[in-house]
Amino acid sequence: MTDALTAVGLHRTYRLPRRGPFEPGPVRTAVDGVDLVVPAGSRLGVIGESGSGKSTLVRLLAGLEAPTAGTVTAAGRPVVASASAAAMRWFRRETGVVFQDPYASLDPRMRVGQIVEEPLRAMRVPGQHPSLVASALERVDLPPDAVDRYPHEFSGGQRQRIAIARAIVHGPRILFGDEPMSALDVVVRARVIELFQSLASELGLTIVLVSHDIGVVQRLCDTVAVMSAGRIVEHGPVSLLDAPVHPLTRALVEAAPTLP
């Protein structure tokens, strides 16, 4: 199995606001020396406490932020988040991202067809865009007439399906999810998990998923990385959640509610 993503020595620091007119703000370290390999076709769940750096790590892997130090490669090719849009187009074609809030991630002024087509236009994907959009909507179980409607006409779960359609319409190999189920109720969350599972199987996707919900990770992922203070403290098959070694992992598992 080839590697979809490789991270070596990833660091990400932020300068916080100034404490005074002559004193620079303190530096916060969000990701602190992470090494990680994500094999192609695998489904990695990233869990940890709030503020542990898990969302920042996934943004670095997805090329949405540039690391302060370290490197990310995709299939052996360097990912340079600070490069021009044209230079990064190859990587954008390889990846799709689903964000946390389906209400905030969709432009309310655009029809669904325009929203889903946007990556095709931005990445200059050849082919018949209307048919690609229709195929993506069909994959996420939305009706054909959705293309002419606006996001506010759909429920939260349906809006997240629109966001997923937008993320897969251009045929990516890697799908990133930053808490994509956290804004959904339990029943809808279970349906979206099933959708992720079916898409991963049908399309051969590599999935990298941030979630505070261990039940979601156990159902969807085959490997897990546990983060604390910007570092990965435990990493392995998702079965390690049944018998965690690190005290933080044990605490997270013990605190987790059961997903029906």
Side-chain angles (χ1 to χ4, degrees):
M1 181 182 290
T2 59
D3 297 332
L5 292 165
T6 303
V8 178
L10 276 190
H11 288 261
R12 184 66 169 101
T13 58
Y14 299 95
R15 176 73 68 179
L16 299 180
R18 290 175 177 266
R19 291 175 172 171
F22 305 108
E23 185 178 356
V27 173
R28 175 180 177 269
T29 299
V31 173
D32 187 11
V34 166
D35 298 323
L36 182 66
V37 174
V38 183
S42 64
R43 306 176 193 176
L44 171 67
V46 183
I47 64 173
E49 310 162 288
S50 295
S52 62
K54 55 188 186 293
S55 288
T56 301
L57 173 61
V58 170
R59 290 182 65 83
L60 295 175
L61 294 175
L64 299 177
E65 289 189 28
T68 307
T71 60
V72 176
T73 57
R77 191 171 174 180
V79 176
V80 184
S82 58
S84 66
M88 282 289 285
R89 190 170 291 129
W90 70 271
F91 185 65
R92 302 296 178 220
R93 288 283 299 269
E94 294 286 302
T95 59
V97 184
V98 182
F99 296 101
Q100 177 177 1
D101 188 351
Y103 293 89
S105 65
L106 305 178
D107 189 332
R109 299 165 299 179
M110 297 174 67
R111 297 181 190 272
V112 168
Q114 296 171 305
I115 290 170
V116 177
E117 186 191 7
E118 195 171 21
L120 301 176
R121 290 185 280 104
M123 288 178 270
R124 302 177 184 174
V125 176
Q128 296 296 317
H129 288 186
S131 63
L132 293 172
V133 169
S135 176
L137 291 172
E138 182 180 6
R139 283 190 181 277
V140 300
D141 296 323
L142 287 173
D145 66 355
V147 295
D148 296 319
R149 296 160 64 187
Y150 290 92
H152 74 267
E153 300 179 58
F154 295 88
S155 67
Q158 288 173 319
R159 292 187 201 196
Q160 199 61 300
R161 289 174 183 268
I162 295 167
I164 295 169
R166 177 178 59 185
I168 66 168
V169 68
H170 56 289
R173 297 184 183 182
I174 305 170
L175 184 63
F176 294 97
D178 187 0
E179 298 276 14
M181 289 85 165
S182 65
L184 308 176
D185 65 48
V186 173
V187 174
V188 175
R189 191 180 310 169
R191 291 173 182 161
V192 174
I193 291 171
E194 292 172 358
L195 175 59
F196 266 83
Q197 289 172 324
S198 65
L199 290 173
S201 298
E202 292 171 14
L203 304 177
L205 293 172
T206 301
I207 290 180
V208 181
L209 176 79
V210 170
S211 182
H212 70 276
D213 192 324
I214 288 178
V216 168
V217 171
Q218 288 177 310
R219 286 188 58 175
L220 181 58
C221 300
D222 51 37
T223 57
V224 62
V226 185
M227 292 195 70
S228 177
R231 299 180 179 181
I232 293 178
V233 297
E234 195 161 8
H235 179 214
V238 75
S239 58
L240 72 78
L241 296 174
D242 297 325
V245 174
H246 195 277
L248 172 64
T249 313
R250 289 201 299 269
L252 290 171
V253 170
E254 289 168 2
T258 301
L259 182 69

